[in-house]
Amino acid sequence: MGQRVRKAVLPVAGLGTRFLPATKAMPKEMLTVVDRPLIQYAVEECLAAGIDEFVFVTGRNKHALEDHFDIAYELEAMLESRKKHSELKQTRDAGIKPGNAVFTRQQEPLGLGHAVWCARHWIGREPFAVLLPDELTISSPTCTAQLIAAHDKTGGSVIAVMDVPREQTKSYGIAAVKMVKDGLAEITGLVEKPKPEEAPSTLALIGRYVLLPEVFDHLDKHETGAGGEIQLTDALAKMIGGQPFHALRYSGQRYDCGSRIGFLEANVAVALHRADTAAETRALLGRLLKD
Ligand code: G1P
């Protein structure tokens, strides 16, 4: 029913001030969870969902992101000459086909809605995914694949939500919903970062969206909301009552890598989960916790 989702917008212009000094000369999306930068998890999540065209909305000091998805000739030649085949494969498998990524700059930090709007010409008039790379989601099928499956059924926009403790609503976009069926609920309200006492629910947006292009018509107006920023959540709120619009309750793993503890948790959890690191990590944690 839904038109095929082929493209993803990856907003990566943020300064990463919570990770200074690590992010002084390096994009926060290049911070690694075990051995992959956050941005690669987001790209791999898309590829696993059948998306292979990418719009990176970048800012100053984000060159490393572009380089990461390029061929590293000297490094590859060196690995080849030293017969380091598995490392060579890791280096080559960053995964974006030639010509399938564009990097456009958000010149001013005017908000997430503005960042997504910066991608409008590259998306055109088709449904598209948005992934915030500092939210790491791990599940099978991926969170984005789950959203696309729901979009295929409903033909409309679908956003991923998860329950958070009420005192945390002020850190998230929050959805009001009705009629939950197979984890899908109709969205009746959306508000960006409400105070706990004003939040319509505790269902938080977790940075994964499949959106119809009509969202650009609202973002075109450049209206500001919470924090004086052009909010994606506000533009989405204007879409309620138009085409189908659902929240999907995501049930996989999700780590808030925009916070130091969330990032640390992601590293430990992924290391415990991966076959090549699980046993050693478990032993290591045991040793550390004993002291
Ligand atoms: C953004 C969105 C918010 C969402 C959150 C998820 O906020 O505006 O709706 O819940 O990402 O991480 P930010 O964390 O960029 O302030």
PDB file of all heavy atoms in Angstrom, residues 18 28 112-113 132 134-135 171-174 191-193 204-209 229 231-233 254 256, ligand 1:
ATOM      1  N   ARG A  18      28.062  17.518  24.791  1.00  0.00           N
ATOM      2  CA  ARG A  18      28.069  16.666  25.984  1.00  0.00           C
ATOM      3  C   ARG A  18      29.273  15.731  26.022  1.00  0.00           C
ATOM      4  O   ARG A  18      29.559  15.106  27.023  1.00  0.00           O
ATOM      5  CB  ARG A  18      26.778  15.853  26.062  1.00  0.00           C
ATOM      6  CG  ARG A  18      25.696  16.634  26.819  1.00  0.00           C
ATOM      7  CD  ARG A  18      24.473  15.805  27.015  1.00  0.00           C
ATOM      8  NE  ARG A  18      23.642  15.859  25.828  1.00  0.00           N
ATOM      9  CZ  ARG A  18      22.480  15.232  25.709  1.00  0.00           C
ATOM     10  NH1 ARG A  18      22.032  14.491  26.698  1.00  0.00           N
ATOM     11  NH2 ARG A  18      21.772  15.343  24.622  1.00  0.00           N
ATOM     12  N   LYS A  28      30.551  13.831  16.735  1.00  0.00           N
ATOM     13  CA  LYS A  28      30.086  12.888  17.761  1.00  0.00           C
ATOM     14  C   LYS A  28      29.609  11.576  17.127  1.00  0.00           C
ATOM     15  O   LYS A  28      29.653  10.526  17.753  1.00  0.00           O
ATOM     16  CB  LYS A  28      28.986  13.503  18.625  1.00  0.00           C
ATOM     17  CG  LYS A  28      27.712  13.848  17.895  1.00  0.00           C
ATOM     18  CD  LYS A  28      26.612  14.275  18.845  1.00  0.00           C
ATOM     19  CE  LYS A  28      25.418  14.800  18.058  1.00  0.00           C
ATOM     20  NZ  LYS A  28      24.230  15.030  18.825  1.00  0.00           N
ATOM     21  N   LEU A 112      16.109  20.525  14.773  1.00  0.00           N
ATOM     22  CA  LEU A 112      16.015  19.267  14.022  1.00  0.00           C
ATOM     23  C   LEU A 112      15.087  19.410  12.807  1.00  0.00           C
ATOM     24  O   LEU A 112      15.365  18.870  11.731  1.00  0.00           O
ATOM     25  CB  LEU A 112      15.517  18.152  14.957  1.00  0.00           C
ATOM     26  CG  LEU A 112      15.293  16.795  14.327  1.00  0.00           C
ATOM     27  CD1 LEU A 112      16.585  16.237  13.728  1.00  0.00           C
ATOM     28  CD2 LEU A 112      14.731  15.812  15.357  1.00  0.00           C
ATOM     29  N   GLY A 113      13.983  20.146  12.986  1.00  0.00           N
ATOM     30  CA  GLY A 113      13.046  20.346  11.873  1.00  0.00           C
ATOM     31  C   GLY A 113      13.748  21.035  10.715  1.00  0.00           C
ATOM     32  O   GLY A 113      13.594  20.658   9.545  1.00  0.00           O
ATOM     33  N   LEU A 132      18.120   9.435  13.846  1.00  0.00           N
ATOM     34  CA  LEU A 132      19.044  10.247  14.626  1.00  0.00           C
ATOM     35  C   LEU A 132      20.137   9.311  15.126  1.00  0.00           C
ATOM     36  O   LEU A 132      19.877   8.432  15.969  1.00  0.00           O
ATOM     37  CB  LEU A 132      18.322  10.915  15.802  1.00  0.00           C
ATOM     38  CG  LEU A 132      17.042  11.697  15.446  1.00  0.00           C
ATOM     39  CD1 LEU A 132      16.537  12.466  16.661  1.00  0.00           C
ATOM     40  CD2 LEU A 132      17.276  12.637  14.274  1.00  0.00           C
ATOM     41  N   ASP A 134      22.547   9.362  17.147  1.00  0.00           N
ATOM     42  CA  ASP A 134      22.965   9.178  18.542  1.00  0.00           C
ATOM     43  C   ASP A 134      21.957   8.357  19.345  1.00  0.00           C
ATOM     44  O   ASP A 134      22.192   8.048  20.512  1.00  0.00           O
ATOM     45  CB  ASP A 134      23.386  10.485  19.237  1.00  0.00           C
ATOM     46  CG  ASP A 134      22.338  11.555  19.167  1.00  0.00           C
ATOM     47  OD1 ASP A 134      21.199  11.228  18.795  1.00  0.00           O
ATOM     48  OD2 ASP A 134      22.650  12.707  19.512  1.00  0.00           O
ATOM     49  N   GLU A 135      20.881   7.988  18.708  1.00  0.00           N
ATOM     50  CA  GLU A 135      20.016   6.948  19.271  1.00  0.00           C
ATOM     51  C   GLU A 135      20.413   5.648  18.574  1.00  0.00           C
ATOM     52  O   GLU A 135      20.279   5.525  17.358  1.00  0.00           O
ATOM     53  CB  GLU A 135      18.540   7.239  18.978  1.00  0.00           C
ATOM     54  CG  GLU A 135      17.976   8.471  19.673  1.00  0.00           C
ATOM     55  CD  GLU A 135      17.553   8.190  21.110  1.00  0.00           C
ATOM     56  OE1 GLU A 135      17.683   7.032  21.556  1.00  0.00           O
ATOM     57  OE2 GLU A 135      17.092   9.136  21.771  1.00  0.00           O
ATOM     58  N   SER A 171      12.764  15.595  28.031  1.00  0.00           N
ATOM     59  CA  SER A 171      13.911  15.374  27.131  1.00  0.00           C
ATOM     60  C   SER A 171      13.489  14.864  25.756  1.00  0.00           C
ATOM     61  O   SER A 171      14.345  14.638  24.891  1.00  0.00           O
ATOM     62  CB  SER A 171      14.863  14.343  27.741  1.00  0.00           C
ATOM     63  OG  SER A 171      15.283  14.743  29.005  1.00  0.00           O
ATOM     64  N   TYR A 172      12.191  14.652  25.557  1.00  0.00           N
ATOM     65  CA  TYR A 172      11.741  13.970  24.334  1.00  0.00           C
ATOM     66  C   TYR A 172      10.532  14.640  23.688  1.00  0.00           C
ATOM     67  O   TYR A 172       9.805  15.385  24.339  1.00  0.00           O
ATOM     68  CB  TYR A 172      11.312  12.533  24.676  1.00  0.00           C
ATOM     69  CG  TYR A 172      12.419  11.652  25.168  1.00  0.00           C
ATOM     70  CD1 TYR A 172      12.631  11.461  26.526  1.00  0.00           C
ATOM     71  CD2 TYR A 172      13.256  10.998  24.268  1.00  0.00           C
ATOM     72  CE1 TYR A 172      13.646  10.634  26.990  1.00  0.00           C
ATOM     73  CE2 TYR A 172      14.267  10.173  24.714  1.00  0.00           C
ATOM     74  CZ  TYR A 172      14.463   9.991  26.068  1.00  0.00           C
ATOM     75  OH  TYR A 172      15.471   9.177  26.507  1.00  0.00           O
ATOM     76  N   GLY A 173      10.305  14.264  22.418  1.00  0.00           N
ATOM     77  CA  GLY A 173       8.994  14.481  21.831  1.00  0.00           C
ATOM     78  C   GLY A 173       8.086  13.406  22.404  1.00  0.00           C
ATOM     79  O   GLY A 173       8.510  12.261  22.573  1.00  0.00           O
ATOM     80  N   ILE A 174       6.844  13.782  22.752  1.00  0.00           N
ATOM     81  CA  ILE A 174       5.918  12.831  23.380  1.00  0.00           C
ATOM     82  C   ILE A 174       4.649  12.728  22.526  1.00  0.00           C
ATOM     83  O   ILE A 174       4.132  13.744  22.043  1.00  0.00           O
ATOM     84  CB  ILE A 174       5.564  13.290  24.817  1.00  0.00           C
ATOM     85  CG1 ILE A 174       6.826  13.368  25.686  1.00  0.00           C
ATOM     86  CG2 ILE A 174       4.492  12.390  25.450  1.00  0.00           C
ATOM     87  CD1 ILE A 174       7.470  12.031  26.066  1.00  0.00           C
ATOM     88  N   VAL A 191       3.865  16.528  21.193  1.00  0.00           N
ATOM     89  CA  VAL A 191       4.391  17.738  21.809  1.00  0.00           C
ATOM     90  C   VAL A 191       5.868  17.544  22.121  1.00  0.00           C
ATOM     91  O   VAL A 191       6.292  16.466  22.541  1.00  0.00           O
ATOM     92  CB  VAL A 191       3.517  18.169  23.025  1.00  0.00           C
ATOM     93  CG1 VAL A 191       3.060  17.007  23.837  1.00  0.00           C
ATOM     94  CG2 VAL A 191       4.230  19.173  23.914  1.00  0.00           C
ATOM     95  N   GLU A 192       6.646  18.575  21.846  1.00  0.00           N
ATOM     96  CA  GLU A 192       8.098  18.482  22.031  1.00  0.00           C
ATOM     97  C   GLU A 192       8.477  18.881  23.453  1.00  0.00           C
ATOM     98  O   GLU A 192       8.144  19.965  23.924  1.00  0.00           O
ATOM     99  CB  GLU A 192       8.807  19.387  21.006  1.00  0.00           C
ATOM    100  CG  GLU A 192      10.326  19.391  21.095  1.00  0.00           C
ATOM    101  CD  GLU A 192      10.985  18.061  20.687  1.00  0.00           C
ATOM    102  OE1 GLU A 192      10.284  17.163  20.216  1.00  0.00           O
ATOM    103  OE2 GLU A 192      12.207  17.949  20.865  1.00  0.00           O
ATOM    104  N   LYS A 193       9.155  17.982  24.139  1.00  0.00           N
ATOM    105  CA  LYS A 193       9.725  18.207  25.466  1.00  0.00           C
ATOM    106  C   LYS A 193       8.765  18.827  26.490  1.00  0.00           C
ATOM    107  O   LYS A 193       9.054  19.876  27.076  1.00  0.00           O
ATOM    108  CB  LYS A 193      10.998  19.048  25.337  1.00  0.00           C
ATOM    109  CG  LYS A 193      12.018  18.407  24.393  1.00  0.00           C
ATOM    110  CD  LYS A 193      13.412  18.909  24.562  1.00  0.00           C
ATOM    111  CE  LYS A 193      14.396  18.062  23.796  1.00  0.00           C
ATOM    112  NZ  LYS A 193      14.589  18.371  22.401  1.00  0.00           N
ATOM    113  N   ALA A 204       7.678   8.214  24.314  1.00  0.00           N
ATOM    114  CA  ALA A 204       8.680   9.135  23.780  1.00  0.00           C
ATOM    115  C   ALA A 204       9.099   8.762  22.363  1.00  0.00           C
ATOM    116  O   ALA A 204       9.195   7.571  22.022  1.00  0.00           O
ATOM    117  CB  ALA A 204       9.908   9.117  24.681  1.00  0.00           C
ATOM    118  N   LEU A 205       9.346   9.777  21.542  1.00  0.00           N
ATOM    119  CA  LEU A 205       9.884   9.562  20.190  1.00  0.00           C
ATOM    120  C   LEU A 205      11.370   9.225  20.344  1.00  0.00           C
ATOM    121  O   LEU A 205      12.103   9.929  21.043  1.00  0.00           O
ATOM    122  CB  LEU A 205       9.740  10.849  19.361  1.00  0.00           C
ATOM    123  CG  LEU A 205       8.386  11.115  18.687  1.00  0.00           C
ATOM    124  CD1 LEU A 205       7.254  11.079  19.688  1.00  0.00           C
ATOM    125  CD2 LEU A 205       8.389  12.442  17.957  1.00  0.00           C
ATOM    126  N   ILE A 206      11.819   8.174  19.681  1.00  0.00           N
ATOM    127  CA  ILE A 206      13.196   7.707  19.897  1.00  0.00           C
ATOM    128  C   ILE A 206      14.091   7.906  18.670  1.00  0.00           C
ATOM    129  O   ILE A 206      15.066   7.192  18.476  1.00  0.00           O
ATOM    130  CB  ILE A 206      13.223   6.231  20.342  1.00  0.00           C
ATOM    131  CG1 ILE A 206      12.475   5.344  19.335  1.00  0.00           C
ATOM    132  CG2 ILE A 206      12.630   6.089  21.746  1.00  0.00           C
ATOM    133  CD1 ILE A 206      12.884   3.890  19.404  1.00  0.00           C
ATOM    134  N   GLY A 207      13.741   8.883  17.849  1.00  0.00           N
ATOM    135  CA  GLY A 207      14.663   9.235  16.763  1.00  0.00           C
ATOM    136  C   GLY A 207      14.614   8.325  15.558  1.00  0.00           C
ATOM    137  O   GLY A 207      15.590   8.217  14.818  1.00  0.00           O
ATOM    138  N   ARG A 208      13.489   7.666  15.327  1.00  0.00           N
ATOM    139  CA  ARG A 208      13.297   6.838  14.134  1.00  0.00           C
ATOM    140  C   ARG A 208      11.932   7.178  13.544  1.00  0.00           C
ATOM    141  O   ARG A 208      10.902   7.037  14.223  1.00  0.00           O
ATOM    142  CB  ARG A 208      13.321   5.337  14.477  1.00  0.00           C
ATOM    143  CG  ARG A 208      14.660   4.831  14.986  1.00  0.00           C
ATOM    144  CD  ARG A 208      15.708   4.837  13.889  1.00  0.00           C
ATOM    145  NE  ARG A 208      16.979   4.286  14.297  1.00  0.00           N
ATOM    146  CZ  ARG A 208      17.912   4.940  14.991  1.00  0.00           C
ATOM    147  NH1 ARG A 208      17.707   6.182  15.377  1.00  0.00           N
ATOM    148  NH2 ARG A 208      19.050   4.365  15.284  1.00  0.00           N
ATOM    149  N   TYR A 209      11.940   7.595  12.281  1.00  0.00           N
ATOM    150  CA  TYR A 209      10.716   8.065  11.648  1.00  0.00           C
ATOM    151  C   TYR A 209      10.637   7.542  10.210  1.00  0.00           C
ATOM    152  O   TYR A 209      11.670   7.449   9.537  1.00  0.00           O
ATOM    153  CB  TYR A 209      10.710   9.588  11.529  1.00  0.00           C
ATOM    154  CG  TYR A 209      11.112  10.384  12.765  1.00  0.00           C
ATOM    155  CD1 TYR A 209      12.447  10.489  13.163  1.00  0.00           C
ATOM    156  CD2 TYR A 209      10.164  11.069  13.514  1.00  0.00           C
ATOM    157  CE1 TYR A 209      12.815  11.242  14.271  1.00  0.00           C
ATOM    158  CE2 TYR A 209      10.525  11.834  14.628  1.00  0.00           C
ATOM    159  CZ  TYR A 209      11.851  11.903  14.997  1.00  0.00           C
ATOM    160  OH  TYR A 209      12.219  12.664  16.092  1.00  0.00           O
ATOM    161  N   GLU A 229      13.572  26.639  18.731  1.00  0.00           N
ATOM    162  CA  GLU A 229      14.084  25.939  17.553  1.00  0.00           C
ATOM    163  C   GLU A 229      12.956  25.501  16.614  1.00  0.00           C
ATOM    164  O   GLU A 229      11.803  25.370  17.041  1.00  0.00           O
ATOM    165  CB  GLU A 229      14.858  24.683  17.996  1.00  0.00           C
ATOM    166  CG  GLU A 229      16.096  25.018  18.802  1.00  0.00           C
ATOM    167  CD  GLU A 229      16.976  23.802  19.041  1.00  0.00           C
ATOM    168  OE1 GLU A 229      16.516  22.668  18.815  1.00  0.00           O
ATOM    169  OE2 GLU A 229      18.125  24.013  19.453  1.00  0.00           O
ATOM    170  N   GLN A 231      11.223  22.765  15.274  1.00  0.00           N
ATOM    171  CA  GLN A 231      11.131  21.391  15.764  1.00  0.00           C
ATOM    172  C   GLN A 231      10.464  20.475  14.740  1.00  0.00           C
ATOM    173  O   GLN A 231       9.416  20.821  14.180  1.00  0.00           O
ATOM    174  CB  GLN A 231      10.330  21.338  17.075  1.00  0.00           C
ATOM    175  CG  GLN A 231      10.953  22.119  18.214  1.00  0.00           C
ATOM    176  CD  GLN A 231      12.222  21.447  18.754  1.00  0.00           C
ATOM    177  OE1 GLN A 231      12.606  20.354  18.322  1.00  0.00           O
ATOM    178  NE2 GLN A 231      12.882  22.107  19.689  1.00  0.00           N
ATOM    179  N   LEU A 232      11.043  19.312  14.529  1.00  0.00           N
ATOM    180  CA  LEU A 232      10.412  18.306  13.672  1.00  0.00           C
ATOM    181  C   LEU A 232       9.075  17.882  14.282  1.00  0.00           C
ATOM    182  O   LEU A 232       8.074  17.730  13.578  1.00  0.00           O
ATOM    183  CB  LEU A 232      11.346  17.089  13.526  1.00  0.00           C
ATOM    184  CG  LEU A 232      10.824  15.951  12.664  1.00  0.00           C
ATOM    185  CD1 LEU A 232      10.554  16.416  11.234  1.00  0.00           C
ATOM    186  CD2 LEU A 232      11.812  14.777  12.646  1.00  0.00           C
ATOM    187  N   THR A 233       9.060  17.722  15.607  1.00  0.00           N
ATOM    188  CA  THR A 233       7.837  17.269  16.285  1.00  0.00           C
ATOM    189  C   THR A 233       6.668  18.219  15.998  1.00  0.00           C
ATOM    190  O   THR A 233       5.537  17.768  15.795  1.00  0.00           O
ATOM    191  CB  THR A 233       8.075  17.189  17.808  1.00  0.00           C
ATOM    192  OG1 THR A 233       9.236  16.380  18.030  1.00  0.00           O
ATOM    193  CG2 THR A 233       6.888  16.588  18.531  1.00  0.00           C
ATOM    194  N   ARG A 254      17.486  -0.181  22.766  1.00  0.00           N
ATOM    195  CA  ARG A 254      17.709   1.205  22.362  1.00  0.00           C
ATOM    196  C   ARG A 254      18.624   1.865  23.383  1.00  0.00           C
ATOM    197  O   ARG A 254      18.430   1.708  24.588  1.00  0.00           O
ATOM    198  CB  ARG A 254      16.357   1.916  22.285  1.00  0.00           C
ATOM    199  CG  ARG A 254      16.448   3.416  22.115  1.00  0.00           C
ATOM    200  CD  ARG A 254      15.739   4.139  23.226  1.00  0.00           C
ATOM    201  NE  ARG A 254      16.111   5.535  23.238  1.00  0.00           N
ATOM    202  CZ  ARG A 254      15.971   6.314  24.302  1.00  0.00           C
ATOM    203  NH1 ARG A 254      15.459   5.827  25.414  1.00  0.00           N
ATOM    204  NH2 ARG A 254      16.354   7.553  24.256  1.00  0.00           N
ATOM    205  N   ASP A 256      20.635   5.508  24.410  1.00  0.00           N
ATOM    206  CA  ASP A 256      20.739   6.954  24.192  1.00  0.00           C
ATOM    207  C   ASP A 256      22.218   7.330  24.196  1.00  0.00           C
ATOM    208  O   ASP A 256      22.778   7.676  25.236  1.00  0.00           O
ATOM    209  CB  ASP A 256      19.970   7.689  25.302  1.00  0.00           C
ATOM    210  CG  ASP A 256      20.235   9.182  25.253  1.00  0.00           C
ATOM    211  OD1 ASP A 256      20.740   9.665  24.217  1.00  0.00           O
ATOM    212  OD2 ASP A 256      19.940   9.870  26.247  1.00  0.00           O
TER     213      ASP A 256
HETATM  214  C1  G1P B   1      15.211  15.047  19.369  1.00  0.00           C
HETATM  215  C2  G1P B   1      13.729  15.256  19.037  1.00  0.00           C
HETATM  216  C3  G1P B   1      12.836  14.624  20.093  1.00  0.00           C
HETATM  217  C4  G1P B   1      13.194  13.156  20.251  1.00  0.00           C
HETATM  218  C5  G1P B   1      14.694  13.010  20.565  1.00  0.00           C
HETATM  219  C6  G1P B   1      15.105  11.556  20.583  1.00  0.00           C
HETATM  220  O1  G1P B   1      15.511  15.796  20.521  1.00  0.00           O
HETATM  221  O2  G1P B   1      13.472  16.655  18.923  1.00  0.00           O
HETATM  222  O3  G1P B   1      11.487  14.749  19.709  1.00  0.00           O
HETATM  223  O4  G1P B   1      12.411  12.582  21.273  1.00  0.00           O
HETATM  224  O5  G1P B   1      15.497  13.681  19.581  1.00  0.00           O
HETATM  225  O6  G1P B   1      16.443  11.448  20.964  1.00  0.00           O
HETATM  226  P1  G1P B   1      17.034  16.106  20.974  1.00  0.00           P
HETATM  227  O7  G1P B   1      17.487  14.917  21.750  1.00  0.00           O
HETATM  228  O8  G1P B   1      17.820  16.325  19.722  1.00  0.00           O
HETATM  229  O9  G1P B   1      16.950  17.338  21.817  1.00  0.00           O
END
